[in-house]
Amino acid sequence: MKINYPDGRIFHNKPSQTSLDVDTTNAKKKMIFGDRGMTLEEEINESNKYYRSHDIAVIYKKPTPIQIVKVDYPKRSKAVIREAYFRQASTTDYNGVYNGYYVDFEAKETKNKNIFPLKNFHQHQIDHLKKCQKQGGICFVIIKYVALKRYFVMPADNIFAHWDAQKHDGAKSIQLADVVDCSIEIKADYNPTLPYIKAVQQLIESGKEKK
Amino acid sequence: MKINYPDGRIFHNKPSQTSLDVDTTNAKKKMIFGDRGMTLEEEINESNKYYRSHDIAVIYKKPTPIQIVKVDYPKRSKAVIREAYFRQASTTDYNGVYNGYYVDFEAKETKNKNIFPLKNFHQHQIDHLKKCQKQGGICFVIIKYVALKRYFVMPADNIFAHWDAQKHDGAKSIQLADVVDCSIEIKADYNPTLPYIKAVQQLIESGKEKK
């Protein structure tokens, strides 16, 4: 059973659908026991759970920001939000701490096999990553090519270069070869599902070499 | 005009109220132009805005986690959340990066003049702060004594000591004298409203001395 967790994307994809019921209990079960067909978000959340429970890193996905308009307070029952809207996040989706380093990243899936479209990013995400990097944070993007089942940790600097270049060269996407070239490839595994902290460690070490 | 932003506390305080309308536009205006009667959350958010715009630190309040149950997708209009509930956060409210350091903290107001009740904390917040500190994060609590108009940055270690001690000594609160003794006092100011990063810098420097 496929469960769609509502966020901005699903709203855009399914504008004609009404009253989508989200069974979060089942969604949770799927996250815990599923090891096939996981979304990148689920894979990262599972990995973060592993990293936290093993004292390797403390990294969380931030909750989706919601603009609340109306709340009901029924007697002898908990508050019910009756009108609210999805807001655009001003930051990236994930942040936390690993071995003294601030870690900040965005996760993006693509169904394309040869390119990664830059429209996957918003200006505010790029700006946020730039600001965090300036403060000494370890910043990157995890890209999943769904059809290829390949995962890459792409350093933020390389994203910035492509993002800023599109104003001049007009390129609306990054070629797979370029992603392979500048990123650290990681393989889906078991415990953690996606061992991306290994790549973070490599980024830290390569940063030290540069200095 | 006082605007109550709905969160867990307000739900508990006003169980009999129905259909509270939240005008976030006015709430925003109040945050920008108000300099009196701000809540601690508003003061910290304003300060964070200042720190970000001056490239001093990148720290945000995390969105309130919401469990979404039902979403309507009206034609030619944006998605409307029609049933959702406030969830308890598994982390603290604020985190980010300052000068290469991961910063993680909780903000607590009290109306008491002599004590700070420990029931202001939840076990999961203490656990989260402990885990972050273990990873090398700079962890603390900002306490505001509303009646006294005094603000303290209390290092997480001191919170842990009082929290863990209550199992044995049964003390349900921290005396003001103890808070004064172990914390860095900060004064409300203008730009930033609450210059807590100065205290963070002191915490970092005192940590270095210990090593």
Side-chain angles (χ1 to χ4, degrees), chain B residues 136-154:
Chain B
I138 309 300
C139 303
F140 54 93
V141 174
I142 301 183
I143 298 175
K144 177 180 182 177
Y145 289 87
V146 179
L148 307 176
K149 290 182 185 165
R150 291 181 77 177
Y151 303 80
F152 296 93
V153 170
M154 188 171 180

Side-chain angles (χ1 to χ4, degrees), chain B residues 99-157:
Chain B
N99 199 21
Y101 291 91
Y102 173 79
V103 171
D104 197 295
F105 64 100
E106 190 62 36
K108 301 287 186 190
E109 283 185 335
T110 182
K111 284 173 184 165
N112 290 292
K113 290 181 185 178
N114 298 312
I115 58 158
F116 178 76
L118 283 166
K119 69 166 196 277
N120 276 296
F121 292 104
H122 299 286
Q123 185 64 50
H124 70 268
Q125 293 171 329
I126 302 289
D127 294 342
H128 175 75
L129 286 170
K130 281 185 181 174
K131 273 184 175 293
C132 289
Q133 188 151 299
K134 222 170 169 176
Q135 285 297 325
I138 309 300
C139 303
F140 54 93
V141 174
I142 301 183
I143 298 175
K144 177 180 182 177
Y145 289 87
V146 179
L148 307 176
K149 290 182 185 165
R150 291 181 77 177
Y151 303 80
F152 296 93
V153 170
M154 188 171 180
D157 273 338

Side-chain angles (χ1 to χ4, degrees), chain A residues 17 52 73 99-100 131 135, chain B residues 17 52 73 99-100 135:
Chain A
Q17 193 176 341
R52 287 196 301 271
Y73 297 89
N99 199 20
K131 274 186 172 292
Q135 284 298 326
Chain B
Q17 195 177 339
R52 286 196 301 270
Y73 296 89
N99 199 21
Q135 285 297 325

Side-chain angles (χ1 to χ4, degrees), chain A residues 15 17 19-20 22 24 52 55-56 60 63 67 69 71-73 79 81 84-85 91 95 99-100 131 134-135, chain B residues 11 15 17 19-20 22 24 52 55-56 60 63 67 69 71-73 81 84-85 91 95 99-100 131 134-135:
Chain A
Q17 193 176 341
S19 295
L20 173 72
V22 181
T24 47
R52 287 196 301 271
D55 283 333
I56 294 166
Y60 280 92
Q67 188 192 3
V69 176
V71 183
D72 278 356
Y73 297 89
I81 298 161
Y85 299 90
T91 65
N95 77 350
N99 199 20
K131 274 186 172 292
K134 222 170 168 177
Q135 284 298 326
Chain B
F11 146 57
Q17 195 177 339
S19 295
L20 173 73
V22 181
T24 47
R52 286 196 301 270
D55 283 332
I56 293 166
Y60 281 92
Q67 187 192 4
V69 176
V71 183
D72 278 356
Y73 296 89
I81 298 161
Y85 299 90
T91 65
N95 77 351
N99 199 21
K131 273 184 175 293
K134 222 170 169 176
Q135 285 297 325

